[in-house]
Each structure stands twice: as structure tokens, then as C-alpha cells.
Amino acid sequence: MKTMQVLKKYPLLLSLAFLAACGGGANDLESKKNQLRDKKKALEQLQAEISQLERDIVALDPSFKLSADNSTLVSVIQLSKGDFVRYNEARGRVETDQNVMVTPETAGVIKQILVREGQSVGAGQILVTQDSEVLQRSMNEVTTALELANVTYERQAKLWEQNIGTELQYLQAKNQKERLEKQLQTLKAQVNMTAVKAPFSGVVDEIIAKVGEAASPGVPLLRLVSLSNMRVNADVPESLLGKVKVGDKVRVSFPSIKREVDGQVVVVGQIINPDSRSFRIEVAVGNVDNLLKPDLLAVVKIQDETKPDVIIIPTNLIQREGGQEFVYIAAQDDQKQPIAKKVMVERGETYDNKTYLKSGLKGDEQLIEKGFRDVTDGAAIKIGS
């Protein structure tokens, strides 16, 4: 008895108790879903009737609008037609052919390191020098000997022209001069090799060697990288075989630096990877502001489908009910008051959270965006920003 008195005193508790009693026996999930769908339909119809009654009253008594404004605040998107483009995406990474470990051509102790990490250098610029003192002394000795050999050869040549002396003496002088010339050329080349030069223009990324260490051919001294000519290597699904050709334009995005650039396919691999069922492509890309680095992750977007002159809307604004899909647009009632209108639509393809519509809208409507879940068909609305 006391319980009934409490419930009568508090109508909300009575309502909750009634709903709990009605739903207590409905344990089946599908049954609950059906009940929820029916209740939503009933609520939508009731709200539409309420909105219509309010509009009728406002038409008869404009002052009523000030005290009974139950419109929902919404924002809208002005629709228009455009081209829908869908892309296939392939993950890859940035590479460059000009990423090398610079090594000396000859053995020797490192005398100077003329660059620092991060420094830009030009092709042919000296990066490291090795001790060439022994070679310089040998070159000086050969130069002195060559001077004497030249004098001897010139005298023997003049005597030979005068038929003085033997041919053997002349040939020995000539041979000695030529031998020393070749020896001097070899020594000069060896001295020149003690100056390690940049094979191309780039940036010194890492210095490994230290002054005073012994350097040997094949042992890295430093890493030199050029960031001017970059490319992206990516593995493309074999389903796109024949659709990707050398010269095709593609979009390449770099998630880590939030940058997207245009690229061009320069290589299409001829072998299908049996494990991943993909083939390799190379895309040439520009390096604006030198932000691209070797091994940076990239996403290559290859155009797969294009639908010209279609209506494109945000995918999340499409709602589903009873197997049908719909959106809400801003419309007007008989009194020219703004209302929400439910429009059934047929969707096409979806890409990047955008969907083009096959039917349902003309393309000049105002699509309700903010508040689209709070309105019902025929409900009064206020359009804000």
C-alpha cells in the first residue's frame, strides 16, 4: 500500500516501474530491437504532428511562436555536383640512389676532415684528406730525376741527329725519360687519391672516421645523401596490373609529416611477389623543403574510379532504417517555416569518408549536418553556423 502511495506521489517513478514491468519479460535481443524501432517510428510521427500543430497555431496566432519555439538548431551544407574519385592505396617508403658510404681509394692515415655533419657539399668537393708525405717525397725525387733524364735525352737526340753516338744510347735515354714520366703520373694520381672527394652534391649525414685513424679502401669514412631526386618504392596489389603504367600521375602522402605531393610512376615491376601477390612500382617525387628522408613511410594513391558530375556528401550523414537509407535536408512548410525533411537516397561508392549518391537528391539542396541525429521528418529547425 505504501509502495503504491509513493508511486502515485512521484509519477516519474510510476512510469519507470511501468516500463520495467512491460520489458521484464522481453529477453530476446531481436524483440527488443523491434520494439525500439517501433517506438522510434511512433516518436517521429508524434513529433511531426506536434510540429504541424505548432505551425498551424502560429499561423493563427503569431504571438504563440514566442512562447512555443521547439525548433532544433542545425547547420547545413549547400550541396553541389562534382567529380568523385576513388583511389587504391599502396604503402611504400622513400628511397634515393644517392645515399652512399664514401670510402677512400687508397690506404693512408686521415689527416683532415674538412666537413661536418649536416653540411651541404658540391660534387667534387674535398671531404677528407689522407697523409701523403711519403708520396710527395717520392714525387719530388722522380721530378728531379726526370729533369736530368730530359736533359740527357735532349743531348742524345741532338748527337743522334749528327750521327754521333750509338742508337742504343739514344734509345736508353728516351726510355729513361718516358719511364720517369709515367712514374710521375702514377705518383700524382696516388697523391690525388689521398683527397677523398664528394661523388655528387648532397648533405653529409654521418661522419664515421676520425683524424689520425688509418683509412683503407672499402672502409667507410662518412655517409653522403642527396635529397634532390627522391622516389617512393611501393608494392601494388596484382588486381591493379595493367591499370598502372609508366608516366601515370599519382598522389603520394607522408603521414609522419602530414604532407601530400604529386608524383609520377617511373618504373613498373615485371614480377609478381608470390607471397604478397603484389608488384613493385617506383614513383618520382619532388622534395619540397627537403622534408623527405630515406626510409620515410609513404602512401601511394592510385586513381581507380572516377564518377563525373555527381552529388558527394559526408558518409556519416547517411542514416539507415528498416533496410533503407536516408538523409535530412532543410525544407519549408506551407507557412514558409524551416523544417527538416527526410529524403530516401541510394548510395554509390565510398572513399575517404565521402560517398556519392546514385539517386534521391538533385544537388541544389541544403543537407543538414550538425544536429542531423536530433531532428525528425517535418520537425521545426533553426539554421545556424
Side-chain angles (χ1 to χ4, degrees):
M1 186 67 178
K2 289 182 178 180
T3 302
M4 291 302 298
Q5 289 177 350
V6 172
L7 292 175
K8 288 179 179 179
K9 187 176 181 180
Y10 299 98
L12 178 58
L13 292 176
L14 181 60
S15 300
L16 292 174
F18 175 75
L19 291 174
C22 292
N27 295 321
D28 182 70
L29 178 61
E30 192 61 35
S31 174
K32 290 182 180 294
K33 288 183 178 180
N34 291 334
Q35 288 181 39
L36 178 61
R37 183 165 54 251
D38 293 340
K39 297 296 183 184
K40 283 185 176 180
K41 287 183 179 179
L43 177 61
E44 183 176 331
Q45 183 177 356
L46 181 60
Q47 287 178 330
E49 292 176 359
I50 291 173
S51 297
Q52 186 60 51
L53 285 172
E54 289 176 343
R55 291 193 295 273
D56 292 343
I57 294 172
V58 169
L60 297 173
D61 181 9
S63 64
F64 179 78
K65 184 177 181 181
L66 299 176
S67 60
D69 187 2
N70 296 319
S71 58
T72 302
L73 181 63
V74 300
S75 67
V76 297
I77 301 172
Q78 180 62 54
L79 294 182
S80 61
K81 291 188 175 182
D83 295 340
F84 175 83
V85 181
R86 185 181 68 186
Y87 294 91
N88 271 292
E89 297 184 354
R91 296 193 174 275
R93 60 190 181 94
V94 176
E95 293 185 358
T96 174
D97 286 332
Q98 296 181 320
N99 176 12
V100 301
M101 301 299 294
V102 179
T103 62
E105 295 180 89
T106 186
V109 176
I110 296 175
K111 186 176 181 180
Q112 287 180 301
I113 298 176
L114 303 175
V115 293
R116 64 183 184 279
E117 291 182 353
Q119 179 178 338
S120 297
V121 298
Q125 180 176 336
I126 297 176
L127 308 176
V128 177
T129 61
Q130 296 170 274
D131 186 5
S132 60
E133 184 178 351
V134 174
L135 291 173
Q136 288 286 358
R137 285 202 300 265
S138 298
M139 192 167 66
N140 292 338
E141 291 174 1
V142 172
T143 300
T144 301
L146 179 59
E147 291 175 355
L148 176 59
N150 280 327
V151 172
T152 303
Y153 168 71
E154 290 173 1
R155 288 181 179 179
Q156 288 295 332
K158 289 179 180 179
L159 291 173
W160 179 248
E161 289 174 359
Q162 299 173 10
N163 295 322
I164 300 174
T166 65
E167 182 180 5
L168 180 60
Q169 291 174 320
Y170 166 74
L171 293 176
Q172 286 177 336
K174 181 181 179 182
N175 180 68
Q176 177 70 359
K177 178 185 80 74
E178 291 177 348
R179 184 181 65 80
L180 290 172
E181 286 176 342
K182 291 179 180 180
Q183 186 176 349
L184 183 61
Q185 288 178 355
T186 300
L187 288 171
K188 285 182 178 180
Q190 290 176 342
V191 170
N192 187 58
M193 285 191 294
T194 62
V196 181
K197 301 176 182 178
F200 52 80
S201 298
V203 176
V204 178
D205 184 64
E206 179 185 10
I207 296 177
I208 302 170
K210 295 179 180 179
V211 174
E213 289 182 340
S216 301
V219 178
L221 300 177
L222 53 84
R223 179 188 293 275
L224 184 64
V225 180
S226 173
L227 303 179
S228 58
N229 298 312
M230 309 295 282
R231 70 177 190 276
V232 172
N233 268 346
D235 293 326
V236 178
E238 66 176 332
S239 58
L240 294 181
L241 192 63
K243 296 181 180 179
V244 183
K245 302 180 293 296
V246 172
D248 285 354
K249 301 292 184 180
V250 296
R251 296 289 293 170
V252 184
S253 65
F254 305 94
S256 299
I257 59 174
K258 296 179 174 57
R259 181 69 66 93
E260 187 169 273
V261 300
D262 291 319
Q264 185 176 24
V265 179
V266 293
V267 174
V268 176
Q270 303 301 310
I271 298 175
I272 301 294
N273 186 317
D275 298 323
S276 62
R277 307 310 307 172
S278 62
F279 61 96
R280 183 181 64 88
I281 65 170
E282 288 185 14
V283 179
V285 293
N287 194 0
V288 181
D289 300 328
N290 283 338
L291 289 177
L292 303 187
K293 310 296 182 185
D295 293 322
L296 180 69
L297 293 180
V299 178
V300 180
K301 299 179 179 180
I302 304 166
Q303 187 170 317
D304 181 38
E305 181 179 359
T306 302
K307 290 288 184 182
D309 198 32
V310 292
I311 302 168
I312 305 169
I313 68 171
T315 305
N316 68 301
L317 298 184
I318 302 175
Q319 303 185 68
R320 177 179 289 272
E321 182 181 76
Q324 291 184 305
E325 293 182 318
F326 64 92
V327 296
Y328 283 111
I329 63 171
Q332 291 183 338
D333 61 11
D334 297 337
Q335 285 77 41
K336 304 297 182 181
Q337 298 301 313
I339 61 171
K341 180 181 179 182
K342 178 191 286 187
V343 179
M344 298 299 173
V345 296
E346 181 183 2
R347 74 162 71 197
E349 298 290 339
T350 295
Y351 177 75
D352 196 22
N353 299 319
K354 294 182 180 179
T355 300
Y356 81 86
L357 300 181
K358 293 182 178 180
S359 63
L361 298 176
K362 295 183 295 182
D364 57 355
E365 297 90 347
Q366 289 183 319
L367 181 67
I368 295 178
E369 184 183 24
K370 293 180 181 178
F372 74 101
R373 294 193 183 277
D374 301 326
V375 298
T376 57
D377 190 26
I381 59 173
K382 279 183 181 178
I383 299 176
S385 57

